[in-house]
Structures are given as structure tokens and as C-alpha cells.
Amino acid sequence: DTGVSQDPRHKITKRGQNVTFRCDPISEHNRLYWYRQTLGQGPEFLTYFQNEAQLEKSRLLSDRFSAERPKGSFSTLEIQRTEQGDSAMYLCASSLAKLAGGTYNEQFFGPGTRLTVL
Amino acid sequence: AQSVTQPDIHITVSEGASLELRCNYSYGATPYLFWYVQSPGQGLQLLLKYFSGDTLVQGIKGFEAEFKRSQSSFNLRKPSVHWSDAAEYFCAVGPFGNEKLTFGTGTRLTIIP
């Protein structure tokens, strides 16, 4: 099964440290999304890419957060100078957007990376 | 701005009983509506989706949902729940093209024998 994979699954870090998460989408998918899910809440959109271009960023994505998708395949999400409020599950999803439009692009989610900031 | 409300934080039902999970949305245009399920420690799995056409949509695992434009609702139903249905359920709304989804806060479903 070549679904969306995320690494690591769990990360514990101390406040002020930098962390980086990786997402590998389904291989033929051209869109990749990042969401954040805090305890008791639904996922919140952070950003998405079409191929290597970052097309939209939420205002939730402060300047401490940066996401890249350098070759249009895997993506990384880096958080600098982590804060306790960054503790959450970070979910990645991918989809195949057909450029002709008029179609629905189902998002397939990975298992997430749970971040705990001490 | 689009938003989703799931009024029930936690629902408990007996195995074999029927289930209805409520979802109300706010969206300026024709909504694309979804129900996802999340088991502990897992990502989200799509149960069903609505774009247009028949307002009663069928999904996986025996779930169905009905779109009611007049009530801005998209409630999820199952006639007979199984213990394996215990999970967190999220309703979501998205724009055409599905660039990003807006999720509700979720409903946690507990099944009792």
C-alpha cells in the first residue's frame, strides 16, 4: 500500500528547539497539504502546494513555520524556536488535481506526526 | 468565511442501534461536503462526499449522509452500528477544486455492547 507517509510519527522536543517533519505523498499526486490538529479540535489548514509551488498559506502559519516541496514530491515542514502552543498533530494529505478543472480532488491523509513541546 | 458546526461532542450508542451525527455548515456558494473518520493515532479516512445531484449519498462502511440545503445540514447516518465504528467523526466543507478543507470540531462515537 503506497499511501501518504509521514516521518517521524512522534516527536518530543524542548521549547526553543527546531523540528522538521517529512511527508511523502502518493506518488502520482501533484497537490500536497499540511494541516494541524490540536486536542479536541478538527484539523486546521496550514498550507498547500501544487507541484513545487506553495499556493496558499494560512495566517496560522507564523513566520516560525516554513514548508517546502523542492522537487514536487516529498515535503518538509519546519518549525523554528518551538513553543508549547505548537504541540499538536501535524497531518499531511495529497491529491491529484486535474488541471482541466471540473473534478473533485479527494485528499488522502497520512497518519500524522504528533509533536510534544516540553 | 466557511465554517462547520458539529453540535455533539460525544455520542454513545449501543451496538446494533442506529446512528445520526449532526453537521451544519456555513458557505457562500454551493458547498462540497465531506465526512471523515479518524481512529485513535490514525489519519483521516474519507467516508463519503457530496458535490451535487442526489442529496442522499452513500459511503463506505454502510454510512450515508443527506444534504439539506434549506437547513444547511449534512447529517451522517448508519442504520446499525458495529463496535468497530467507535472513532472520531469529522464533517468538512471545501471549495470547488478542494484546495483546502474546513473541518468541524468532531464527534467522538462510543459503542457500548
Side-chain angles (χ1 to χ4, degrees), chain A:
Chain A
D1 182 359
T2 55
V4 178
S5 61
Q6 293 186 244
D7 183 70
R9 295 290 306 274
H10 303 274
K11 179 70 176 179
I12 300 174
T13 191
K14 294 182 179 179
R15 186 164 50 98
Q17 298 295 304
N18 299 343
V19 294
T20 300
F21 309 141
R22 176 180 171 124
C23 171
D24 286 89
I26 293 172
S27 59
E28 65 269 24
H29 284 185
N30 53 4
R31 281 195 180 166
L32 187 147
Y33 311 78
W34 285 99
Y35 291 84
R36 181 173 67 187
Q37 184 178 20
T38 53
L39 204 60
Q41 300 297 315
E44 296 173 294
F45 171 81
L46 293 178
T47 188
Y48 89 97
F49 294 81
Q50 177 141 325
N51 300 313
E52 65 275 9
Q54 189 172 19
L55 296 188
E56 187 170 349
K57 292 193 295 185
S58 163
R59 56 185 168 79
L60 293 175
L61 213 64
S62 76
D63 56 6
R64 296 185 297 106
F65 288 69
S66 62
E68 294 183 341
R69 195 183 183 197
K71 298 183 179 179
S73 57
F74 73 91
S75 174
T76 57
L77 177 68
E78 181 183 15
I79 309 174
Q80 296 182 326
R81 305 181 303 282
T82 53
E83 301 172 357
Q84 289 185 325
D86 298 331
S87 296
M89 175 79 87
Y90 290 84
L91 294 165
C92 176
S94 70
S95 72
L96 177 61
K98 297 174 183 174
L99 299 180
T103 59
Y104 164 65
N105 315 311
E106 178 179 343
Q107 294 186 26
F108 293 83
F109 282 81
T113 294
R114 181 167 296 284
L115 173 66
T116 301
V117 181
L118 302 176

Side-chain angles (χ1 to χ4, degrees), chain B residues 52-103:
Chain B
S52 62
D54 192 348
T55 56
L56 185 63
V57 294
Q58 302 296 320
I60 62 171
K61 304 184 180 185
F63 286 92
E64 66 179 25
E66 185 171 13
F67 171 62
K68 293 185 177 180
R69 184 185 298 274
S70 61
Q71 299 177 17
S72 298
S73 69
F74 188 56
N75 294 349
L76 182 71
R77 301 194 294 246
K78 186 169 185 177
S80 176
V81 297
H82 186 262
W83 63 266
S84 61
D85 293 325
E88 188 96 22
Y89 291 80
F90 293 95
C91 181
V93 63
F96 177 81
N98 195 32
E99 288 82 12
K100 62 183 181 184
L101 297 175
T102 298
F103 287 86

